[in-house]
Amino acid sequence: MSRLPQSLTGKFKIVAVPMLAALLLGNASQTYTLDTKASSIAAKVPFLGIGSRTATFNSISGAVTFVPDRPRDATVDVTINTQDIKASDSVTLKRLRSEKFFWVNKYPTARFRGSNLVMTSGRTGKITGTLTARGVTRDETLFVTFDQPPASNVGKAINLTGTMKINRKNYGMTSFNLIVGKTVTISLKAKMIPR
């Protein structure tokens, strides 16, 4: 078998080594942990048909696993401490903490578990999964926007925002129908740190 000339051998190594590394890294999954100090969740609901009320949750934790060339294999697991809920006034806060809404004494956490990321562009996508709140689990979809394309930033911190719309009545929150709307818009702000 004839051997490649020395000049071509060097060029072959220059091209082949990065290609091999890219192939190996492309199949490797990367796990991220949510930076709790830089992450939060807000829930906004229509109020009296002319305004809205927003509750925030600053105590969240979780992990995300991402496979660069197989985003559908991504997994998301985020837990919210409902007892750490914040509201604009004490009356609203008391109602949200009660059994009419989050019932935080009985259900101290809510959880979203996603298992399928579909990228709709280099920086946007949607994650399907299940949301568990107030003891009820339902299928929901989280629409996400990354600050950088996640496939090209493996191993680096990733910031993202996300939105999800749910019907509060599906989770047993059926009170105050005349003044509180049924559609809740959930907004996620998250920073993910590679492990």
Side-chain angles (χ1 to χ4, degrees), residues 27-61:
N27 292 322
S29 63
Q30 173 70 61
T31 300
Y32 300 83
T33 302
L34 282 182
D35 182 343
T36 57
K37 293 182 179 179
S39 304
S40 62
I41 289 178
K44 183 170 74 173
V45 63
F47 187 74
L48 290 174
I50 56 174
S52 63
R53 289 286 188 271
T54 300
T56 58
F57 303 88
N58 295 319
S59 181
I60 63 175
S61 60

Side-chain angles (χ1 to χ4, degrees), residues 122-184:
R123 293 177 52 241
T124 61
K126 59 182 181 179
I127 302 168
T128 55
T130 58
L131 175 66
T132 301
R134 210 173 175 277
V136 178
T137 300
R138 290 210 171 236
D139 294 336
E140 302 289 358
T141 300
L142 177 68
F143 295 88
V144 294
T145 300
F146 299 90
D147 64 336
Q148 299 290 332
S152 61
N153 281 272
V154 176
K156 300 177 183 178
I158 295 178
N159 293 289
L160 67 86
T161 57
T163 59
M164 173 192 296
K165 289 183 183 284
I166 66 170
N167 184 337
R168 68 182 177 92
K169 294 183 179 181
N170 289 339
Y171 295 89
M173 303 181 197
T174 58
S175 300
F176 301 100
N177 290 324
L178 295 179
I179 60 174
V180 180
K182 66 180 182 179
T183 301
V184 182

Side-chain angles (χ1 to χ4, degrees), residues 31 49 101 105:
T31 300
F101 287 93
N105 288 335

